[in-house]
Amino acid sequence: MGLFDRLRGDGAPRVAFIGVDGVPYSLLSENEELFPNFAAIADEGTAGEISSIVPPESSACWPSLTTGMNPGETGVYGFQDREVGTYDTYVPMGREVQADRVWDRVQEDGRRATVMNVPVTFPPQRNVQRMVSGFLSPGLEKAAYPDDVRDYLETLDYRIDVNPKLGHQEEKEEFIEDAHATIDARFEAFEHYIEEDDWDLFFGVFMTTDRVNHFLFKDYERDGQYKDDFIEFYQKVDDYIGRLRDALPDDVTMIVASDHGFTSLDYEVHFNEWLREEGWLTFQDDEPEELGDIADDTRAYSFIPGRFYINLEDREPRGSVPESEYDEVRDELKADLEALEGPDGNAVVDRVVEKEAAFRGDHDDIAPDLVAIPNKGFDLKSGFKADSDVFDTGPRNGMHSFDDTSLYIDHPDATIGDADLFDITPTILDLLDVEYSRGDFDGASLV
């Protein structure tokens, strides 16, 4: 029993959730000798591969993981979403998440939540014990609540994120050094607030894992130049997970999870250029810069990652496809996507998901009409440059995957089975003995 329990005279159970953004289960489960702390949780509790969401993009995944709801309820579909009835786009932030987060429910139950570095949480909420916003925050000064949290983190040289531009350099040593410095400070902050022992829910995310995967994952999978550096970084992650686990009082259940999997990247696929070449998309001028530059005869356009929208009459400002032709046009586009092959002759797309199969809720009016889930090696992009190639390569050699998402629960009664991201929030609430209605979520408790 922790100090906070003794002070409050309350033996209620607690949970510490540690996110490891983009860490594939296969990496950990196939190398248990390298990652003994993850293996120990699997041995003493349970672990397994779970599914991510459609689409498996961090900006959509974390709102779904932390609410237990699909993007039709959270209102967040990716790094970029579109305004209803316009071609205007915006970057979703914390206030755009339209469903209650797990820590909101904990606070409403009279408990305390410390939340650190979760993507899509800027600006930090003032209705929690403490919060440090994560990915997409402009900087630490405005990302920490209350002020004493910011003051402490500044002493650690804490940073919201690694500098991804360093990963674009051909030589990766400076990027790797920055990744280590970022995760070192993150661990020190997590350890400090875990040892404060004054919370009921601790919810922290290591996002540097995702960054390392984007620039080094192929080196790991295919014995590249930086494979040893990749393994060394992940051994540090494993060590930090073990040290955080050791720091937890006996009344705390630890959960470790990723938001999606990862695999090697061979080709970036620029789908708006493909749509242009195939006659689906035209621009008003020769140098388009944004979605609003598309012409009236456009039938479809794309957002990352693999989100496709029919240019529908009475929905889009310059919609060209009548409502009566929607199903026919969408089926045609779906068939074209399924038939697309890459330069290597392999199918680009594993499957194409229709909106009604993936999204339901009050905010499905901005949902894509189709989402393409790629085969391994094909990273789905959009962009509005008319002179780009459909298939290209860039500085990244790793990409997100829908499968191979990780979940570890340090509890003897947990059973993972056929689980997905939506199951994590109800599992946390069950472990905390916080009441909820089963119909509140798209997932179910794993305990």
Side-chain angles (χ1 to χ4, degrees):
M1 181 177 294
L3 173 62
F4 185 48
D5 287 325
R6 292 194 294 270
L7 291 175
R8 68 186 179 181
D10 179 5
R14 298 189 286 163
V15 170
F17 175 96
I18 306 297
V20 283
D21 197 302
V23 176
Y25 180 67
S26 60
L27 167 66
L28 304 173
S29 62
E30 294 173 7
N31 298 282
E32 291 189 344
E33 73 285 358
L34 296 175
F35 311 123
N37 291 294
F38 279 101
I41 299 174
D43 183 55
E44 298 169 28
T46 189
E49 174 188 346
I50 65 172
S51 298
S52 184
I53 68 163
V54 176
E57 185 174 55
S58 293
S59 279
C61 291
W62 285 107
S64 284
L65 185 155
T66 57
T67 63
M69 300 181 189
N70 77 91
E73 292 287 3
T74 68
V76 179
Y77 292 86
F79 291 127
Q80 182 185 42
D81 279 327
R82 65 185 182 92
E83 300 280 1
V84 176
T86 76
Y87 292 121
D88 295 336
T89 62
Y90 61 94
V91 176
M93 305 293 270
R95 288 172 178 160
E96 275 71 54
V97 179
Q98 301 298 310
D100 286 343
R101 303 290 191 105
V102 61
W103 49 82
D104 295 323
R105 294 174 179 268
V106 170
Q107 291 281 155
E108 290 167 3
D109 195 57
R111 317 282 286 281
R112 295 184 179 185
T114 287
V115 182
M116 302 190 71
N117 206 57
V118 181
V120 200
T121 55
F122 183 82
Q125 295 176 216
R126 264 62 177 171
N127 64 333
V128 295
Q129 179 185 27
R130 56 180 73 93
M131 178 179 284
V132 183
S133 301
F135 174 65
L136 298 178
S137 301
L140 181 58
E141 181 179 356
K142 296 181 179 180
Y145 170 81
D147 289 346
D148 66 288
V149 174
R150 180 200 62 215
D151 295 342
Y152 170 69
L153 295 181
E154 286 177 345
T155 69
L156 305 179
D157 192 25
Y158 184 98
R159 69 282 301 271
I160 299 297
D161 197 3
V162 69
N163 180 359
K165 292 181 180 179
L166 297 176
H168 290 224
Q169 299 174 359
E170 186 173 349
E171 302 297 325
K172 306 298 184 187
E173 284 78 8
E174 192 176 358
F175 166 75
I176 293 167
E177 181 180 350
D178 189 56
H180 277 278
T182 301
I183 203 168
D184 289 347
R186 186 88 70 244
F187 165 73
E188 201 169 341
F190 286 6
E191 184 181 50
H192 172 81
Y193 286 109
I194 280 177
E195 290 179 345
E196 287 288 285
D197 199 21
D198 58 355
W199 42 266
D200 296 284
L201 171 64
F202 180 90
F203 201 109
V205 175
F206 289 117
M207 191 173 181
T208 315
T209 47
D210 177 270
R211 297 302 201 187
V212 167
N213 289 355
H214 272 302
F215 296 108
L216 302 181
F217 200 81
K218 187 186 286 187
D219 291 79
Y220 158 68
E221 277 201 322
R222 303 183 188 175
D223 295 325
Q225 177 181 353
Y226 295 102
K227 179 176 181 177
D228 290 345
D229 298 280
F230 180 93
I231 294 296
E232 181 182 350
F233 176 82
Y234 266 97
Q235 287 180 307
K236 174 176 281 189
V237 174
D238 178 76
D239 177 62
Y240 284 166
I241 291 295
R243 290 166 65 180
L244 292 176
R245 187 184 185 216
D246 290 343
L248 294 173
D250 293 340
D251 63 325
V252 178
T253 298
M254 187 183 209
I255 299 176
V256 184
S258 61
D259 56 327
H260 51 74
F262 240 89
T263 190
S264 293
L265 187 163
D266 296 309
Y267 299 100
E268 293 180 346
V269 187
H270 298 274
F271 262 122
N272 280 325
E273 176 59 19
W274 176 77
L275 289 170
R276 187 186 71 82
E277 292 183 8
E278 296 298 315
W280 287 92
L281 170 63
T282 57
F283 295 104
Q284 297 182 77
D285 54 54
D286 294 334
E287 296 184 1
E289 296 181 355
E290 58 185 14
L291 178 59
D293 292 328
I294 67 174
D296 293 350
D297 57 346
T298 288
R299 293 200 296 160
Y301 56 91
S302 177
F303 281 1
I304 62 171
R307 290 180 286 164
F308 292 86
Y309 296 83
I310 303 301
N311 195 31
L312 194 63
E313 281 185 1
D314 299 324
R315 187 182 73 179
E316 273 76 3
R318 292 189 294 279
S320 65
V321 177
E323 178 69 34
S324 61
E325 298 177 12
Y326 172 81
D327 289 338
E328 178 184 353
V329 171
R330 190 174 70 162
D331 288 346
E332 181 185 351
L333 177 57
K334 181 179 180 181
D336 284 358
L337 290 167
E338 292 171 338
L340 179 62
E341 293 183 350
D344 56 5
N346 293 324
V348 170
V349 174
D350 174 59
R351 67 187 189 279
V352 180
V353 181
E354 298 174 351
K355 66 181 294 184
E356 58 270 20
F359 312 119
R360 54 207 167 273
D362 294 337
H363 306 286
D364 61 359
D365 48 358
I366 61 170
D369 298 300
L370 297 170
V371 179
I373 304 299
N375 279 313
K376 291 184 176 181
F378 296 100
D379 195 20
L380 310 187
K381 303 294 187 183
S382 58
F384 294 94
K385 291 184 179 180
D387 58 351
S388 63
D389 294 326
V390 174
F391 296 97
D392 200 358
T393 58
R396 298 183 176 193
N397 70 19
M399 55 173 277
H400 297 185
S401 67
F402 173 81
D403 60 349
D404 211 8
T405 308
S406 300
L407 179 59
Y408 289 74
I409 305 176
D410 197 5
H411 194 287
D413 296 333
T415 303
I416 291 177
D418 186 22
D420 56 35
L421 288 193
F422 303 130
D423 298 324
I424 292 175
T425 280
T427 298
I428 291 172
L429 295 177
D430 249 7
L431 289 169
L432 289 169
D433 288 341
V434 174
E435 293 186 2
Y436 62 89
S437 298
R438 186 176 181 87
D440 289 349
F441 305 113
D442 292 316
S445 175
L446 303 174
V447 179

